[in-house]
Amino acid sequence: MLFTRFALAFTAISVASALPIRTFRQTRHIQPHQRADAINVNDVLDELSNNGTVPVIISPDDGGAPKVVIGGNATEVPQGGSEKIVLAHFMIGNAFSYTKDLWKKDIQMAQDAGVDGFALNLGSDDWQPARMDDAYSAARELNSDFKLCISFDMAVLPGNSASDAAALKQYITKYAKHPNQLLVDGKVFASTFSGEKSNFGHPTPQDGWNAEFKQPLEQAGTPVHFVPALFVAPEAISGDWSNTVDGLLTWNSAWPIDLTSQSQNVAGVVGALAAPVLDQVKEAVGSMDADTQFIGAVKNAASAATGSDTRTYMAGVSPFFFTHYGPDTFNKNWLYVSDDHLYTSRWSTLIANRDKVDMVEIITWNDYGESSYIGDIGKDQPKSNAWVDGFDHTALIPLTKYYTTAFKTGQFPTIEKDSVVLSARPHTKAAQATADGVGKPLNWELVQDRLWADFLLSGPATVTLATTDGNSQSWDVAAAGPGRFSIPLTVGGFMSATVERDGKTVLTCKPEGYTFTDKPETYNFNSFVAGCVAE
């Protein structure tokens, strides 16, 4: 059946952290997630299964046998480290008409996904504080342990004077004793989007945040654990910012942002990507490269300031990114590569490195304008209806639950029911829109016209993907666990997946409302997402 409201049954199983597993390395560049080539897949699956590990199966692009991802994708979960927390970034600016009942609905859905709390992005609209009040009230009325914290959007909030900082302090003080306020080490957790240029009337931003925000709150008995998303170099975190921040959210770690049409020399190229470019894409998607240097900087800052590694590193994870605004509105028209199972690949990488990562922020719950949402589509969109309406992403909720559980507990859930999440864009990347006044987004050349499928399998099975009645591909999977498969899309076709076991079809998924075209009216590089779970 199609996912309606999401409650997949999982039972946690322990995964040893020091199991002897076979690893496979590419000679060119070692990434946290590796693919196994030229091996007997079933042999490797048997070995991993015998060792109690959870392999991830991925189909190759050339239509050959499935491959096992083992060098950091869900094969073993490092134990130890800090208590793990998962937040989702919530744009209050997209919640103008929200009632407390809507807040409650979203909170409960987030809990279904294994999310511990919302980071409430507070902007400059005068109505936003009232919506934030409603969020805190709703969480209290639910009598749940769901947490909330404020993420000050310093891209729009003023940060030029002491009075600007005073407004931020008032919000911290107001909710400090609220039962649903997120605390870390007994301190109010606070974050930002940007803020590296906010000096609050002082010579430097570091001085400003310290003198006008952190120190006054500390002196007033309301200390904060300050983990902003600053867009600065790693050495700045371990240097100039080391006595100001208590950690860092690396916002841009959620996507392979350095992967651009220009960097790959494919600007204007209409055809399929060449093999070397595809290799670069696959290596970049889900990688830990954007995190590693900042993790070191955060820990070095902790050592310099306190003599111990007490700081918080928060990584970002996101399913998609596409924004399509013209010069007459926000003048934002680009995408980040989200193919090759970006969302689950990134989660797998973070799980494999959970001993280094304290918190994860899902980017986002409801940023419709950038297509990164996993929550319901609300009616308060920021002029993004053209590429958001009809493109529900909530099928990611149960998939998110699987990965958040492993990240937080160090245990992979046992999959009790087979399920699949399918995603694809609505038109060919080379298509010429007939009525689009904005133009193609930057980096469109790097996307692939493929159907992406994320299975959660309860046991050995044969999985099949199809895009027309005559275009399908099947794979035999020898063990339970997550499986990632992909086939080319077909113009005029659909998306479909089946799971067969012991000669019986146990899951069929053919979502309505999707077709793949080469003649769109407007450009839309958002993804159509649908999911099904076995009865």
Side-chain angles (χ1 to χ4, degrees):
M1 63 179 178
L2 287 177
F3 288 134
T4 51
R5 200 44 76 220
F6 311 99
L8 288 184
F10 293 131
T11 302
I13 58 173
S14 179
V15 181
S17 63
L19 295 173
I21 65 170
R22 187 186 308 168
T23 59
F24 298 85
R25 305 287 187 184
Q26 293 180 338
T27 57
R28 182 158 51 111
H29 185 62
I30 295 176
Q31 293 287 343
H33 59 290
Q34 305 295 335
R35 294 166 186 259
D37 295 296
I39 61 172
N40 186 311
V41 171
N42 287 340
D43 287 347
V44 176
L45 286 172
D46 289 342
E47 179 180 333
L48 296 176
S49 179
N50 291 336
N51 286 333
T53 58
V54 182
V56 175
I57 315 302
I58 289 187
S59 67
D61 297 330
D62 59 9
K67 304 175 183 180
V68 185
V69 179
I70 59 177
N73 268 334
T75 58
E76 57 182 51
V77 181
Q79 304 299 306
S82 60
E83 179 184 0
K84 308 305 176 187
I85 298 173
V86 176
L87 301 177
H89 198 81
F90 191 104
M91 303 292 293
I92 300 179
N94 292 339
F96 174 77
S97 64
Y98 258 51
T99 62
K100 281 198 288 186
D101 284 343
L102 280 175
W103 278 111
K104 290 176 182 178
K105 176 174 170 286
D106 275 16
I107 288 171
Q108 290 170 328
M109 185 187 294
Q111 289 177 309
D112 287 343
V115 173
D116 299 304
F118 285 148
L120 299 171
N121 179 289
L122 181 67
S124 57
D125 298 309
D126 58 7
W127 53 265
Q128 289 197 32
R131 295 295 86 74
M132 187 160 62
D133 265 345
D134 290 341
Y136 275 91
S137 296
R140 184 200 296 264
E141 290 176 12
L142 283 172
N143 195 28
S144 73
D145 58 357
F146 193 78
K147 300 304 182 183
L148 301 170
C149 62
I150 304 174
S151 175
F152 297 108
D153 195 334
M154 301 311 297
V156 294
L157 289 171
N160 299 318
S161 67
S163 61
D164 294 334
L168 308 186
K169 289 183 293 185
Q170 288 176 358
Y171 292 119
I172 296 296
T173 302
K174 179 176 183 178
Y175 299 109
K177 303 300 183 182
H178 194 283
N180 297 93
Q181 173 63 49
L182 176 62
L183 304 177
V184 173
D185 290 338
K187 301 177 181 179
V188 176
F189 185 88
S191 188
T192 71
F193 176 82
S194 193
E196 66 279 355
K197 296 181 180 179
S198 303
N199 60 22
F200 303 113
H202 286 257
T204 69
Q206 299 89 331
D207 291 341
W209 281 105
N210 262 330
E212 303 298 337
F213 182 72
K214 285 199 69 180
Q215 291 175 4
L217 286 169
E218 178 92 31
Q219 293 163 2
T222 310
V224 295
H225 190 79
F226 187 42
V227 183
L230 300 177
F231 299 93
V232 298
E235 53 268 25
I237 297 300
S238 57
D240 294 341
W241 285 93
S242 62
N243 291 315
T244 303
V245 301
D246 299 295
L248 182 72
L249 163 61
T250 52
W251 184 274
N252 285 338
S253 65
W255 311 273
I257 65 167
D258 291 333
L259 199 65
T260 67
S261 299
Q262 287 72 29
S263 71
Q264 299 302 312
N265 296 316
V266 295
V269 176
V270 175
L273 297 175
V277 178
L278 282 173
D279 288 343
Q280 290 293 317
V281 171
K282 291 171 184 175
E283 289 186 1
V285 167
S287 170
M288 200 73 179
D289 286 357
D291 305 87
T292 302
Q293 54 189 334
F294 282 102
I295 290 173
V298 167
K299 300 308 179 183
N300 288 338
S303 298
T306 67
S308 64
D309 288 348
T310 58
R311 299 295 174 96
T312 296
Y313 180 74
M314 182 156 58
V317 61
S318 183
F320 312 108
F321 189 103
F322 164 66
T323 185
H324 194 54
Y325 293 105
D328 58 329
T329 54
F330 301 115
N331 199 25
K332 297 165 50 177
N333 184 31
W334 72 85
L335 61 84
Y336 296 137
V337 172
S338 305
D339 290 344
D340 282 282
H341 311 276
L342 170 66
Y343 191 53
T344 55
S345 292
R346 175 68 173 160
W347 267 119
S348 294
T349 300
L350 294 175
I351 291 165
N353 291 274
R354 68 184 294 275
D355 55 333
K356 306 178 188 70
V357 178
D358 306 297
M359 301 174 67
V360 172
E361 187 159 311
I362 298 172
I363 307 172
T364 63
W365 186 259
N366 68 331
D367 194 338
Y368 312 118
E370 296 181 351
S371 309
S372 59
Y373 53 94
I374 67 169
D376 275 331
I377 299 172
K379 63 181 181 180
D380 302 311
Q381 292 189 45
K383 301 180 181 179
S384 55
N385 301 74
W387 61 92
V388 171
D389 288 353
F391 287 78
D392 186 285
H393 292 172
T394 53
L396 295 172
I397 295 295
L399 198 60
T400 301
K401 175 69 171 180
Y402 180 80
Y403 289 98
T404 56
T405 300
F407 174 75
K408 291 191 295 181
T409 68
Q411 296 178 319
F412 282 103
T414 296
I415 301 165
E416 298 181 355
K417 291 185 177 181
D418 299 292
S419 64
V420 65
V421 174
L422 303 173
S423 63
R425 291 176 291 99
H427 62 74
T428 61
K429 72 174 186 179
Q432 297 295 318
T434 59
D436 189 291
V438 180
K440 284 188 175 181
L442 291 176
N443 303 324
W444 65 267
E445 301 93 339
L446 288 173
V447 305
Q448 302 170 59
D449 293 339
R450 300 184 69 87
L451 169 63
W452 307 99
D454 279 276
F455 289 87
L456 294 179
L457 299 173
S458 63
T462 298
V463 300
T464 300
L465 296 180
T467 57
T468 67
D469 291 336
N471 181 39
S472 66
Q473 187 173 349
S474 298
W475 299 266
D476 292 324
V477 181
R484 299 173 190 147
F485 299 89
S486 177
I487 62 171
L489 290 160
T490 305
V491 172
F494 48 76
M495 56 169 61
S496 174
T498 60
V499 177
E500 297 180 28
R501 183 176 295 113
D502 299 327
K504 298 179 180 179
T505 300
V506 297
L507 174 63
T508 298
C509 190
K510 188 177 180 181
E512 297 180 356
Y514 177 80
T515 189
F516 190 60
T517 183
D518 60 351
K519 295 180 176 61
E521 290 187 8
T522 59
Y523 294 116
N524 188 352
F525 286 76
N526 192 4
S527 288
F528 182 98
V529 182
C532 301
V533 59
E535 297 286 353

